[in-house]
Amino acid sequence: VQGMRNIRASGLNPLTIFIMPPSLPELERRLRRRGTDSDEAIALRLANAQREMAASGEFDRIIVNDDLAAAVAEFKAIVAMDRAARG
């Protein structure tokens, strides 16, 4: 979110895409399944994710990463449409 805001403030006209988990409980499940973070680290990541998800409306497009293959296909389609529109 901070990076997107900085790029927008620079005067560039970027296509911004926010990739979001289906829900915070699902994000927590994914993080715990990885087994790489402590409970404290997971709590911090979830708090950060909640703040970032609240700012998702600042982005041009939002992709919900419920299914990786579908999210990748949607991302590619969005980028292709943007490239075509910009010429």
Side-chain angles (χ1 to χ4, degrees), residues 34-47:
R34 289 180 189 163
T36 57
D37 292 318
S38 67
D39 287 343
E40 295 80 19
I42 290 172
L44 179 61
R45 290 184 70 171
L46 291 171

Side-chain angles (χ1 to χ4, degrees), residues 4-5 12 14 16 20-21 28 33-34 38 41 52 58 61 68 70 73-74 81 83 86:
M4 178 275 299
R5 289 175 179 157
L12 297 174
T16 58
M20 182 162 75
E28 181 176 6
R33 187 177 64 205
R34 289 180 189 163
S38 67
E52 289 186 350
E58 297 178 38
R61 300 293 299 268
L68 181 59
E74 186 176 358
M81 287 188 317
R83 285 183 178 164
R86 293 178 192 244

Side-chain angles (χ1 to χ4, degrees), residues 16-78:
T16 58
I17 303 171
F18 187 88
I19 301 179
M20 182 162 75
S23 66
L24 285 174
E26 175 60 17
L27 177 58
E28 181 176 6
R29 185 187 72 73
R30 291 175 183 181
L31 292 171
R32 291 193 183 283
R33 187 177 64 205
R34 289 180 189 163
T36 57
D37 292 318
S38 67
D39 287 343
E40 295 80 19
I42 290 172
L44 179 61
R45 290 184 70 171
L46 291 171
N48 289 336
Q50 188 169 21
R51 280 191 299 276
E52 289 186 350
M53 288 168 67
S56 64
E58 297 178 38
F59 287 74
D60 298 320
R61 300 293 299 268
I62 299 171
I63 296 174
V64 177
N65 184 14
D66 194 19
D67 173 84
L68 181 59
V72 169
E74 186 176 358
F75 180 86
K76 288 179 179 180
I78 290 168

